[in-house]
Each structure stands twice: as C-alpha cells, then as structure tokens.
Amino acid sequence: MVRELKYGMVGGDLKALIGECHRKALGLDPRAKLVCGCFSAVDELNDECAEAYHVDKARVYYDAEKMAEAEAGKIDFVSICTPNFVHYSVAKTFLEHGINVVCEKPLTLKVEEAEELSRLAKEKNLVFAVDYCYSGYVMCKVMKQMIARGDIGEIISVNADYMEGCFLELLSEKEQVNSRIWRTDPKYSGISNTCADDGTHVEHLVHYVTGLKIKRLLATADTFGKKLDLNDNIILEYENGAHGAYWFSQVACGSPNEINLRIYGTKGSLEWHQTRPDEVRFARAGEAAQLLCRAGDGIDVPAGSLARVPFGHPEGYYIAIANIYRNVIDTILKLKNGETPTEEDLDFPDVETGVSGVKFYYAVMESAQNNSKWVDVE
Amino acid sequence: MVRELKYGMVGGDLKALIGECHRKALGLDPRAKLVCGCFSAVDELNDECAEAYHVDKARVYYDAEKMAEAEAGKIDFVSICTPNFVHYSVAKTFLEHGINVVCEKPLTLKVEEAEELSRLAKEKNLVFAVDYCYSGYVMCKVMKQMIARGDIGEIISVNADYMEGCFLELLSEKEQVNSRIWRTDPKYSGISNTCADDGTHVEHLVHYVTGLKIKRLLATADTFGKKLDLNDNIILEYENGAHGAYWFSQVACGSPNEINLRIYGTKGSLEWHQTRPDEVRFARAGEAAQLLCRAGDGIDVPAGSLARVPFGHPEGYYIAIANIYRNVIDTILKLKNGETPTEEDLDFPDVETGVSGVKFYYAVMESAQNNSKWVDVE
Amino acid sequence: MVRELKYGMVGGDLKALIGECHRKALGLDPRAKLVCGCFSAVDELNDECAEAYHVDKARVYYDAEKMAEAEAGKIDFVSICTPNFVHYSVAKTFLEHGINVVCEKPLTLKVEEAEELSRLAKEKNLVFAVDYCYSGYVMCKVMKQMIARGDIGEIISVNADYMEGCFLELLSEKEQVNSRIWRTDPKYSGISNTCADDGTHVEHLVHYVTGLKIKRLLATADTFGKKLDLNDNIILEYENGAHGAYWFSQVACGSPNEINLRIYGTKGSLEWHQTRPDEVRFARAGEAAQLLCRAGDGIDVPAGSLARVPFGHPEGYYIAIANIYRNVIDTILKLKNGETPTEEDLDFPDVETGVSGVKFYYAVMESAQNNSKWVDVE
Amino acid sequence: MVRELKYGMVGGDLKALIGECHRKALGLDPRAKLVCGCFSAVDELNDECAEAYHVDKARVYYDAEKMAEAEAGKIDFVSICTPNFVHYSVAKTFLEHGINVVCEKPLTLKVEEAEELSRLAKEKNLVFAVDYCYSGYVMCKVMKQMIARGDIGEIISVNADYMEGCFLELLSEKEQVNSRIWRTDPKYSGISNTCADDGTHVEHLVHYVTGLKIKRLLATADTFGKKLDLNDNIILEYENGAHGAYWFSQVACGSPNEINLRIYGTKGSLEWHQTRPDEVRFARAGEAAQLLCRAGDGIDVPAGSLARVPFGHPEGYYIAIANIYRNVIDTILKLKNGETPTEEDLDFPDVETGVSGVKFYYAVMESAQNNSKWVDVE
C-alpha cells in the first residue's frame, strides 16, 4: 500500500510568498515529500532553492515542460505556484504528462483555458485542485455543514467582502515599488486584477459555505486611472432568488486581508472573519447569539472534529492550506491504492471551482464595462 | 434674554418608543420644557400621558391642528414623533402656525410633500430639524471634521449597512404580532419600508460624515412576498466619481440595529459601528491603525470637546439625540434673542436633509422596480 | 397622591463632572425637579449655576447647613456631589434636618463617620443612597438575577479590575496640572486614593452581582513615592471559601475607565466590561458561549425588561445613574404616599453599601501597610 | 557544511496532543527530519506511530535509554514530549549520551532535578530548550523589543492570566473521564497541577517580554477538595519594585486557553491575548491607542520582520512553536558548523528558563500552604 506521495513545485522561489505557504502546508503532512521543482527561471536562484528546500539538484528544472517530461511517473502531483498568467500552460503540460495538479488561483486568464484544463483533467482522470485556501479553515467547513443541515433555514441575504490596501500607493504620487505591481498589468493578469485575485476567493467561499449558485450579477469596477480594477462592488442574484453583495478592494487603507462573511437565513445567521478564523457568530431567531469557537463546546457537526489544536489556540493560515492538501493527499493515495475516495476526501476546491472563478470575474468585468447591466452567470 | 424654551409633542404616548427617546433627550437639556402635547388619538391614553409627563391636562389636545392653533405663540417648537404617514400633515400645520418643528424621519411619504415642507419652512423662516439621530454621536462629528480636514485624503470607497431582524418573523409561519407591522403596509409607509425607515439613516450619515453627494444609484429590493421592501442592496456613484455600497435589512437574524460605516480615502480610512459608537478605527497609510475613543487621547478636531462623560464611559443613544436637540435649542434661542446662530449651532439635520432622504428612497425603489437600472439622484 | 419630587444639590458647579452626571440622570426622570442648591463655595459661580440649571436664585445657598435648615420640609432629597472629604458633614446635616440623601462615593474618609451616617439614617427613618453607579447598568442587574437563580452554579473564582490612567503624569517630570490632584492629598482623600475612589466601585459591584461577602483580604498598594495609593493588587477570600483577585490602577496608561468583571461558577461563567456595558458573555459548561445583549433575545430574568432603548442602541453611563435614581424616586414616592416600597424599588446601593466600601478600603490599606498580611473584613 | 538536522522524539504517540504539535512545528522547517523515536510504551502503538510518522521501524524504541544509547552520534537533538514526571529521567539520559534536548514544560517535578539538568547541559556543552511555546509568537518578540527599547518607559504594573476550563467537570458529579486527569495526581504531577502546567507559561512569558525578575510572591491555591491546585491567585513583587498579579485557572468555564497579558509602564502600555496572538494594543501617554498587527504597518523593531504570512492572515500556534524550533535549529547548525550562534539564534527558552519555572511553582505552593506569606524567589 502506498503511504507517501512525492511532489514537485513550479514557481515558489525563495522570495515568493505563496510557494512558501504551500511548502509549509505540505510540511505539516508527513505523507508528502518535495522531490523536484522548477522554482525560478533564474539558474542561480533555482539552485539556491534546491539547497534551501532540501531537493536534489539533479531534479531541479529550468523549464516546466522538461520537468513534466522527466518527472512523469515519478511524482504524484505538482504544485503550481507561479504568477497567474503561467497557470494555464504549466497545468496543461503536467496534465498531458499524466500528473495530478494543485494550482494557485485564479486558475487562468481566459474562460476557455480553464475549461480546457477541466476537460483535460477529466479526460485523463487526474486530480486537479485549486488553492482557494480560505475554505480550508475548519470553521468554514463547520458553517457549510450547519447550513446544509438547515441550521439557519433558507438563505435570504449574503454580504461578503475581501479588502486589503496593497495597491493604495498606486493612487498617490509615491514611486511604485510594490512587488505585486505585475498584478495590475493586463499582460500578466488579463482582464482583471482585484476581482480575479481576491474576488474569486469570496465567490468560491460563499458558494462553498452556502451551496448557493449565482444566477446573475451586476457590478462596478474602479481602476482609478490604472489599467485594471482595484475596487469592485457587485450585487448578485442567486438561483434561489436571494440577493447578495460583494465588495473587493485592494486600495482599502489599513485593511488586513479582511474577508468578512455574513450569511442570513430564515431561521438564523452566521458571521465569520478571516482575521479571526477560529470564531463564528451564530444567531438563531429568538435566542442569544452564540460564539462558536474551533475546538470549543457547542459544535455538533462532523467538521468540528477536524480541529488540530486545542480550544483557544489559533490554527492560522498554513493550516487552512494544509487542510486542503490533506484531502488532496487522501484522495490521491486512495486512488493509487485502488480505493474510492469518500466525499470527505474530495472536499477540496476542484478544477470546476477554478472554472467558476474565471467565469465569475469575466461576468463582473462585463457588467462593469457595460454600465452595470445584469450579466447571467452560467 | 430668553433662556428657556417651551415645547409640545405630537405622538409619543406611553407605549411609543421614539417619543420617549425625544423626551429623555430633551430631559438632558435644562433649557427645554415640555408644556403641551397631542400624545395619542385615544382620550384616556392622552390623559395618562399628561400625568406621566407632568404636563398640564388643559394643554393636552386630541387633534394636532387644534394644538397648533391653541399653542401658536406659546411654544417654541414641536416634536413630531408620530408614525411616518402623519409627519407631513402635522408638520405642515405647525409650520403654518409659525411654530418651529423637529420631526422624525423619514420626513414624508412623497417627495412633493417633503419639498412643500421645505418651501414652507423657508417662507416662514422657521427652524425645521429632522431626527437623523445617529449623526448626533460625538464620534460621527469627529469623523466628519477629520475628513473635512483631509485626514484620509480624497474618498475612494464607502461601504455601509443598517441591519436589524425585526421583521424576520414575517418570513416564517408564526402569527404576525409584531408591533411595528404597520411599517410594512403601504397605507402607512408609502412605497418603502426598510429603505425609508433604516436606509435613510445611512444615506444621511454617510453624507454627513463624508460630505459626498450621490450622483446616481442602482438597487435591488427584496419583499419576500410581502408588500414592501425588507432587504435592500444598493450601489452608488458619488459626484466625485467614487462608488459605494449600502445594505439595509430588517430580516437579518440577530443583528442589533447595527450601523456599520467604513470609509476609505487615498490617505487613510475610518471605521465606525453604532453598537460601539464611542470608538473609531482610524488607519493612516503606512502606520498602525489607531483606536480613537470619545474623550480619549489623540483626537484633535473641535468636535472632540463635545464629549459629555469621561473616557470609557459610554454616552449612548439618548445623548446622540440630545446632541441634535442641543444645537436646535441653541439655534432657536439665538434667533429668539436676535442673535445669529453659528455654523456649530446649525449642525443638525435640517429639512433639506429630510427632502434628500425621501428622494433617496424613491430612487432606490425606482431602480429596484426597473431591473436595477441606474437612477440619477438630484 | 404625590407624583413629583423636589431635590437640591450640594456641589456640582459648572465645571464639576459628577454633579452634571447626576443632574442629567435626574433629567431623564420627569418625576424629579431641581429646585435649590449649594453648588459652589464661590458666590459668583453659584449664581451662574442657578442660571444654567434653571434654579431660583433665592434658593441658592453658600453653606450646606443653611440650605438644610431652609429647605427642610421643602425638598424630598438632596444629591451630594462634593469632593469626598465633605460627604460626611453635609450628609449628616441633611439627615439631621430630616432630608433623604443621595451621596457620592466613597461615602466618608473614616469608618466611624460612615457608621454614624448609617445609624442616623435608620434612626430618622430616611432613605440614603450611595451612587455606586455601575450597578445601575441593566446587564449588571441581569447578571445578578442569573447568578441568584443558579445559572452559573456556585461561584468558585472572581477576577475584577478598575483601571484608568488619570494620574500617570504624576510619575513623569511633567508639571502636575491634573484637575483631580486633590484626590492624591490625604487632607482631602484620607488614607486612600485609588482604592477608595475606584476600588470601592469594584467591591460593591462584585458583591451586588454575585452576593458574595468578603471574609478577609490581603493587598499591596503602590504609591510610587506619592502620598496615597495609585495602584493596588488585592487577593480576597469570600465567605463561601472561594478566592478572588482585584486590581485597581490610576496609572494604567491608555486604560479607559475599564471595569472588567469575570465571574466563574461550577456550572458557568459571566464576563462584563464597563466600556461595553450592554453585552455579557455567558458560558455554560459544555455549550458555546452566548453573547447576551441588553434588549436582545435570550435574556429571561426580570431585569431584562428594564432596558430603555432597542437592541443595539447603547444606553450608556447616564442611564446607569438614572436607573439608580429611578429606584430611589420610586422608594421616596411610595413612602410619601404611605405605600411600602418593593424589593425592586429598594434595588439601589444604600448607606450600608457605603459603610462596606469604607471598611473595604481601610482593610486594603491595613494589609498593604502590614506586609500584605490577611485582614479580616467584618 | 551541515544543512540538515536529524531528530528523535520521546513520547508523542498517535493520540498525544503535544507531540503532534512538535512534529508539525518541525514539519514547517525543512532543515529537521524525524528519524527515530520512542513514541509509546505500548509496542503496537509504537509501530503505528512509525508508520504514520514515516520513521524507519528499526529506529523505533521501547525504552528511552536504549534509544539514547543507540542514537548517540546519529541524531542532533531529541524532542521530549512525555508526561511531566518523565521529563527528568529522559532528558538526563539524552544529555548523558551527548544529545541536545528540547523538552516540554514544566521541566521537572523537583527543583533539584531541574538544576541537575541545567548543570549537566552546561557540563556537556549541549543545547537544551524548553518549549514555552507562547514566547514564540512574533508579537511577543515585538513587545519584548519595544519594552527593551523603552517604548513604555519603566514598568510599574503587570497583570496576567492563563485560564482554561479543562477540569471544571471534576467539581461536578459527572464521572471523571477527562483524558488529562493524570495531571491532578501528585504521582504524575508532583506538588502542583495548574500552576506547574499553565502558570509557568505566564511566569516565563512575562519575564521574556518585560525582562522583569520576580523578587518575591504570595499566593492562594484552590484545590476544591482534590489533591492538587486548580485555581491560583498570585501577587508578585519584581526586583524593580513594581507589583504584578497573576491568575491561573483550569476551572474557568468557557475560557479558551486565554493568556491575557497587560503591561503598564511610565510612558505606555501593551496588551496581548493568546487567542488573537497577531494583535497588540499599544497605548502611549497622550496618544490614541494603536493596534499593532503582525506584518502590518507601524512596527519598527527587528522582530517585526519575523512574520511569515501576510497582514491579516493568522499565524497560529504551530508557528509559535516553529519559531522556537527555528532558533534551536539555527543554533545547533551553527555549532555543528563551528560557527558562533548569535543572540538572535539563542532567542529560545533555555534550561535556565526551565529551572525558573520549577522554582516559581514551588514558591507559589509554599506561599499558598503557609497562609499566603511572602516567599522569596531566587
């Protein structure tokens, strides 16, 4: 029986933020081992990575395609942590070589590209996960199960936002030294910056937690004279008839990557904030609001048991990602061992989630560029 | 020199919520004395009110018009605390008899009515205040002055909501015993419930604090099969080009009359919540966020000195209303004594504010009923 | 039937903080009218007060004893808002003239003085209230009734503090311009500053809410080279055997008159903070913690109905004092009308509470000055 | 140059909480590899561990002494995650075999044992770390450096507590199924339960952050009829003359392993809570309080750069432990490579810290058992 997986990484050099997060999250799982990578396009940096990550230099590549060729059959999955515009080509290559993929979000710069990856993954029967990391928080899973069980009745209103201030300096006269500046360039980010980068997290998270499907939406998108959106307001209509509002901003001074989620139903409500991911405010009609705390008393859905550390000790961001990887690894291991993954194993954002994200930001941009008209979301 | 004002009240019987709030707020000011009233349409209740409020029974009326006639020249202002659909006729009567008016919001059920009151007040040179009480909180005045001074630069995004759950039971099968049920009946509330009742508070408060004027807006309004709106989502475009989003709900389970205000500028941001009105989170670009506390250190705008009780002791809702009345009383006293009210005296929501509120909820309803099209706001 | 009370005030000139708070609190009750006073020892200031407070100048006095003589039989109670060292003589005078008293805390500078006032009040059959204002908050009454009903079982631990930073500047080289500086002078404050001024609030509040009686205590008291205590730590043993810890500080930089109260029982716990007096965190063994909110759902003790304004609208400090006065007024009115006050009417801090407070700070000082030995509290 | 360390673990079977935390924390560091262990005294469980942890079964031992013998020279350090009463003998064995040690706290059940380990570690020139994990949080390091720099002046008061409710059920009639029940048995826990287990964390953390040394202390300790303490109150005098108060409880219903730290100086104050470890409230005299957030703006001490994930994304408990291990690994690697560890490398709780912890809880128990007399702390 296979008990350990080997993985490679594309992207994620020593200065890269998100690659490090993936390696740490995987470091929390003794069942996965980093064995190869194409960490950087710069030779020297690539070598430094190999040393730092304790990877054999013979398995460090300067071209993702060569890596896919050489490692086909030798690794169980690849983690793609490159800038967004490279996701598509790299993911496609690995799929074509029969390698399972975990890819950063947003999945691709074009809807067709995302759909092609989806088609390819199905055709090849490969696992394809997208790192919408926030749905890995235990309390998001708890909310999902509570809602599915009917704890708050039918959902009648949703309000969600993702706010950070990383691009505020673009609006001032300061010289633009922001390391994330490529995100505001259509060459690297396609038609959307903030909505694609942050907004798709919210789109996924609301869907994950509530099960609601978006029917149509309308939007404004503010560029403040730059090329891509930096601040978006969206009103949505879900298939059940309820409305919601999302706000995404990367010019929100002082906002600490807040994701605020407020969900109202006919019988109760749930409120969650990513800055304090271990807490949920749960109000039931006619009762005092409850403070549900990860690993604390009063949580009676199965996801409550996923907590790793005791009541009051924050689990944090790495563990959210690690929770996603745990399920991906469970799934791949079972498949390798001829077993059928359970629904619980498959509880990770898949390629369809990635496709939805791309469609979502396309719909937002279409509305924003057409006087905020309603745009149907498939 | 006149040093005390006499006032009457219309509405505000023993069971009425808002009339009590006005009397308490005025009780905080030794310069105003309740001397007459038309508290209830029921004789017996009216008499009980006279006793409870220590008003001479000879000056209790069963008809507002008779009260206006009889008290013209004897009272300095009237407080109108009736249900919304009566505001117009009562306010008009008192204006016609030359009596200054403080009226509850929303001002009227129709734009033309509000405009007529505005015209009449000007024509008669009378003071006319509208009780948008939340702008009476000291910290709202502090934010207003900070923004006016440029502390957060030019405003680029606004997000605000007013949420309560008072009508949630309408969506369940429970019998409808809610004492506020008349609010959902067009006969008493005109074309809008939630937007008129709660939304206009936000419309005013954002304008008061930021100085922004709404250019146009689009909206959805959910009735859930009832006659009037219970949950509204609005996107706004201000005259400076920035966008904002408002959310008003009276079906938000467990929400304690939250008013959440988040204002983002090119240099900083401000965040305020009515449930904790004495605190403001102030973030300046490149600095740690500050917690400004009423009567605490670090507030250097004049409004900071309006605090009545020491650091850490909450001032609360009555004081917000009392702050509005304090300025109304200052203004009327000065006028009576032949002095000119200062800008500070005049810092209370006036009849034009009332007109704006009515226009606002009309615009919201127009958009909501026309597939969320953009509607210009005058 | 008497339906209105007339009161006088001693202390409370235009610049005084606490007198203003009493007048505002009484302004919230239409049944009490300020008719006379000895507001200041300075003639001119006294006259200004009369004007500002709408009091007949003929009933303004420059000597409390003359006021007591002149107003005996004409007023129903006096509010004593002077500095602490004057409480005893003024209260005594008014009692001797048969006038009910509401007095600021700490009651007196000596235990014997407090006991004499207590004896006198009983002898004369007069109402004597002490303004331990924080027990006037509705949620403190709610906690009291919950504990009395057994909601948290038997109490096993208490932790409470009162912190402010008003005297921090005494520790620096800054010139000492603090308007409260008399508090640190034994001539005006007797043997204790912080413990007498702030600590007695905690001593009362814990007793009020829990019903626990102190058996003995030990303490440290820091003077930092000044004459009186500025920072006190106390460990207490209650009569039921449980221990508690109190911390009082007036050199706690940035602390906003925090009163933090944490009470633990065998079945549950309660947590309250004066900066957010409308909220209580209530945890029951094996359940999620509940957020009880004044006027919100889930409060099922009678005190819950004492809320004056709706869910989410803060009531604040004036209302806490007003709640104490409401009961005092109920009591005096009933007595005047030959009725017997109910237990609910009598729910205000009485002269015995005042005596306990003085004994408490004497015990704390005795322990602190004797190497923190245990001192029995009667 | 050595770039990777090999480690073994004693304790930490599949059901053990703290061993898992150590493995996860070490999993976050690619420079350390688990290669052997004595995870359980039960053969079968030990084998299961080997599989789960991906450790060669040939290097799994059923006796810590045999492990030390066999692995001497083969591993770089051992992590001791056993129950407390085993720490001493196991740590001693590994030291005697020349192996660096990371040990859980409290270090030993007796002062002499701790001192012997300290002597042995020095004699053998070995690295010895004790897992006082909370000082690994970045914001604790930030506070330490701010205080050392003088940001809050000289410290004048400290208030700290550690509260959890894990043993509340011991006080009820419920059957005692608590898995941590051995902690309340002197056979396994020596003279103290709560103070040794939780209190030493606070003792260390306050010392770490403030640099203050305890001169003497007095205490109460509540056993509620059980054999060991479950609720402790302590007053401390530091060598600089300031006083502090600590409260430790394991019967605090609903408390989520709260560690609350409030530190007051002549120029400012700092407040930190382990449930929200990424935030610090920093108040400077005369200024608004600041909310310092890990990885956010306004932190200008070197420790600020230790943040691993972006502003707003919680780092959590594993990372606190990982931060301690990072420094331990830095230190051991440098020593192996003939380099001298820097002060920054050596920033982890060492064996002396462990000795202090044992002395601390002995002093607390001595005072509590002697009518709360002052006990000098060496």
Side-chain angles (χ1 to χ4, degrees), chain C residues 156-159 161 163 168 171-172 174 216 218-222 224 231 233-235 241-245 247 249 251-256 258 260 262 264-269 271 281 283-286 371-372 374, chain D residues 156-159 161 163 168 171-172 174 216 218-222 224 231 233-235 241-245 247 249 251-256 258 260 262 264-269 271 281 283-286 371-372 374:
Chain C
I156 54 176
S157 195
V158 175
N159 193 281
D161 26 63
M163 294 136 61
L168 184 61
L171 307 193
S172 71
K174 284 192 201 166
R216 57 180 193 158
L218 60 79
T220 58
D222 301 319
F224 304 107
N231 189 71
N233 280 292
I234 296 115
I235 293 179
H243 288 106
W247 173 37
S249 184
V251 290
C253 181
S255 269
E258 277 182 73
N260 303 306
R262 296 179 290 177
Y264 292 85
T266 49
K267 293 181 182 169
S269 65
E271 186 173 335
R281 185 182 183 277
R284 261 200 297 235
N371 200 30
S372 307
W374 283 108
Chain D
I156 54 178
S157 195
V158 175
N159 193 281
D161 26 63
M163 295 136 61
L168 184 60
L171 308 192
S172 72
K174 282 191 201 166
R216 57 180 194 160
L218 60 78
T220 59
D222 302 318
F224 304 105
N231 189 71
N233 280 293
I234 296 116
I235 294 179
H243 289 106
W247 174 36
S249 185
V251 290
C253 182
S255 268
E258 277 182 71
N260 302 306
R262 297 180 288 178
Y264 292 85
T266 49
K267 294 182 183 170
S269 65
E271 185 173 337
R281 186 183 183 275
R284 262 199 297 233
N371 200 30
S372 307
W374 283 109

Side-chain angles (χ1 to χ4, degrees), chain A residues 220 233, chain B residues 157-159 234-238 242-246:
Chain A
T220 58
N233 280 292
Chain B
S157 196
V158 174
N159 193 282
I234 296 114
I235 294 179
L236 309 101
E237 189 169 310
Y238 302 103
H243 288 106
Y246 299 167

Side-chain angles (χ1 to χ4, degrees), chain C residues 201-328:
Chain C
H201 273 302
V202 171
E203 177 264 335
H204 164 62
L205 192 57
V206 171
H207 171 66
Y208 179 80
V209 168
T210 65
L212 290 174
K213 287 181 186 169
I214 302 170
K215 187 182 164 199
R216 57 180 193 158
L217 59 78
L218 60 79
T220 58
D222 301 319
T223 61
F224 304 107
K226 307 298 160 189
K227 291 177 183 158
L228 296 178
D229 60 312
L230 293 166
N231 189 71
D232 308 315
N233 280 292
I234 296 115
I235 293 179
L236 309 101
E237 189 169 309
Y238 303 103
E239 290 190 353
N240 78 342
H243 288 106
Y246 298 166
W247 173 37
F248 317 136
S249 184
Q250 292 181 324
V251 290
C253 181
S255 269
N257 283 284
E258 277 182 73
I259 303 177
N260 303 306
L261 197 52
R262 296 179 290 177
I263 304 162
Y264 292 85
T266 49
K267 293 181 182 169
S269 65
L270 289 164
E271 186 173 335
W272 178 84
H273 305 274
Q274 116 92 355
T275 48
R276 290 168 186 172
D278 294 326
E279 295 174 18
V280 164
R281 185 182 183 277
F282 170 42
R284 261 200 297 235
E287 300 180 10
Q290 296 176 43
L291 270 186
L292 300 178
C293 294
R294 202 209 70 248
D297 291 318
I299 299 176
D300 60 353
V301 289
S305 69
L306 299 173
R308 296 167 183 244
V309 294
F311 188 26
H313 295 84
E315 288 201 338
Y317 183 63
Y318 284 166
I319 294 189
I321 306 178
N323 286 343
I324 286 173
Y325 268 115
R326 179 161 62 181
N327 292 350
V328 170

Side-chain angles (χ1 to χ4, degrees), chain B residues 105-160:
Chain B
K105 41 49 62 185
L107 186 51
T108 59
L109 300 197
K110 293 189 179 160
V111 173
E112 307 76 50
E113 294 173 347
E115 288 177 329
E116 191 185 340
L117 294 179
S118 168
R119 202 178 28 75
L120 207 50
K122 274 169 207 144
E123 192 182 295
K124 297 273 189 175
N125 220 10
L126 291 167
V127 173
F128 196 118
V130 181
D131 179 38
Y132 284 111
C133 51
Y134 304 108
S135 60
Y137 282 120
V138 170
M139 291 310 283
C140 290
K141 295 180 187 293
V142 166
M143 288 191 288
K144 176 193 181 72
Q145 295 182 356
M146 288 175 67
I147 289 174
R149 188 173 65 180
D151 283 12
I152 64 168
E154 196 191 354
I155 293 172
I156 53 176
S157 196
V158 174
N159 193 282

Side-chain angles (χ1 to χ4, degrees), chain A residues 281-297:
Chain A
R281 186 183 183 276
F282 170 41
R284 262 198 299 233
E287 301 181 11
Q290 297 176 41
L291 269 187
L292 300 179
C293 294
R294 201 209 72 247
D297 290 319

Side-chain angles (χ1 to χ4, degrees), chain A residues 289-323:
Chain A
Q290 297 176 41
L291 269 187
L292 300 179
C293 294
R294 201 209 72 247
D297 290 319
I299 299 176
D300 60 353
V301 288
S305 68
L306 297 174
R308 295 169 184 242
V309 294
F311 188 25
H313 294 84
E315 288 201 338
Y317 183 63
Y318 284 166
I319 294 189
I321 305 179
N323 287 343

Side-chain angles (χ1 to χ4, degrees), chain D residues 95-352:
Chain D
L95 288 177
E96 287 170 344
H97 286 85
I99 297 169
N100 299 307
V101 170
V102 179
C103 186
E104 259 307 309
K105 38 52 58 187
L107 185 51
T108 59
L109 300 197
K110 294 189 177 161
V111 172
E112 307 76 47
E113 293 172 348
E115 289 176 330
E116 192 185 342
L117 293 180
S118 169
R119 199 176 32 72
L120 207 50
K122 274 170 207 144
E123 190 181 298
K124 298 272 189 175
N125 219 10
L126 291 167
V127 173
F128 195 117
V130 182
D131 179 37
Y132 284 112
C133 50
Y134 303 108
S135 60
Y137 281 119
V138 170
M139 292 309 284
C140 290
K141 296 180 185 293
V142 166
M143 289 191 288
K144 176 193 182 70
Q145 295 182 355
M146 288 175 66
I147 288 174
R149 191 175 62 181
D151 283 11
I152 65 168
E154 196 190 354
I155 293 172
I156 54 178
S157 195
V158 175
N159 193 281
D161 26 63
Y162 191 123
M163 295 136 61
E164 54 175 329
C166 57
F167 288 124
L168 184 60
E169 64 186 39
L170 294 188
L171 308 192
S172 72
E173 300 122 38
K174 282 191 201 166
E175 208 151 318
Q176 295 161 9
V177 294
N178 194 304
S179 66
R180 296 170 72 186
I181 193 66
W182 60 269
R183 291 191 183 274
T184 65
D185 185 340
K187 192 159 66 175
Y188 302 111
S189 292
I191 66 162
S192 168
N193 166 40
T194 298
C195 186
D197 194 19
D198 290 349
T200 54
H201 274 302
V202 171
E203 177 263 337
H204 164 61
L205 192 57
V206 171
H207 170 66
Y208 179 79
V209 168
T210 65
L212 290 174
K213 287 180 186 168
I214 301 170
K215 185 181 165 199
R216 57 180 194 160
L217 59 79
L218 60 78
T220 59
D222 302 318
T223 62
F224 304 105
K226 307 300 160 187
K227 291 177 182 158
L228 296 178
D229 60 312
L230 293 164
N231 189 71
D232 307 316
N233 280 293
I234 296 116
I235 294 179
L236 308 102
E237 189 170 309
Y238 302 103
E239 291 191 352
N240 78 341
H243 289 106
Y246 299 165
W247 174 36
F248 317 135
S249 185
Q250 292 181 323
V251 290
C253 182
S255 268
N257 282 285
E258 277 182 71
I259 303 176
N260 302 306
L261 198 52
R262 297 180 288 178
I263 304 162
Y264 292 85
T266 49
K267 294 182 183 170
S269 65
L270 290 163
E271 185 173 337
W272 178 85
H273 305 275
Q274 114 93 357
T275 49
R276 291 169 185 170
D278 294 326
E279 296 174 19
V280 164
R281 186 183 183 275
F282 170 43
R284 262 199 297 233
E287 301 181 11
Q290 297 175 42
L291 269 187
L292 301 178
C293 294
R294 200 210 71 247
D297 291 318
I299 299 176
D300 60 355
V301 289
S305 67
L306 297 174
R308 295 168 183 243
V309 293
F311 188 26
H313 294 83
E315 288 200 338
Y317 182 63
Y318 284 166
I319 294 189
I321 306 179
N323 287 343
I324 287 174
Y325 268 115
R326 179 161 62 182
N327 291 350
V328 170
I329 291 169
D330 283 338
T331 295
I332 297 178
L333 276 176
K334 288 211 177 151
L335 291 171
K336 286 197 75 153
N337 289 316
E339 296 172 60
T340 305
T342 65
E343 200 179 329
E344 199 178 48
D345 298 329
L346 292 165
D347 176 21
F348 57 81
D350 62 9
V351 70
E352 280 314 308

Side-chain angles (χ1 to χ4, degrees), chain A residues 156-157 159 161 163 168 171 216 218-220 222 224 231 233-235 243-245 247 251-256 258 260 262 264-269 271 281 283-285 371-372 374, chain B residues 156-157 159 161 163 168 171 216 218-220 222 224 231 233-235 243-245 247 251-256 258 260 262 264-269 271 281 283-285 371-372 374:
Chain A
I156 54 177
S157 196
N159 193 282
D161 27 62
M163 294 136 62
L168 184 60
L171 307 193
R216 57 178 194 160
L218 59 78
T220 58
D222 302 318
F224 304 106
N231 188 71
N233 280 292
I234 296 116
I235 295 179
H243 289 107
W247 173 36
V251 289
C253 182
S255 269
E258 278 181 71
N260 302 305
R262 297 180 288 177
Y264 293 85
T266 50
K267 294 181 182 169
S269 65
E271 187 174 333
R281 186 183 183 276
R284 262 198 299 233
N371 200 32
S372 308
W374 284 108
Chain B
I156 53 176
S157 196
N159 193 282
D161 26 62
M163 293 135 62
L168 184 61
L171 307 193
R216 58 179 193 161
L218 60 79
T220 59
D222 301 319
F224 304 106
N231 188 72
N233 280 292
I234 296 114
I235 294 179
H243 288 106
W247 173 36
V251 290
C253 183
S255 269
E258 277 181 71
N260 302 305
R262 297 180 288 178
Y264 292 85
T266 48
K267 293 182 183 169
S269 65
E271 187 173 333
R281 184 182 184 276
R284 262 201 296 235
N371 200 31
S372 307
W374 282 108

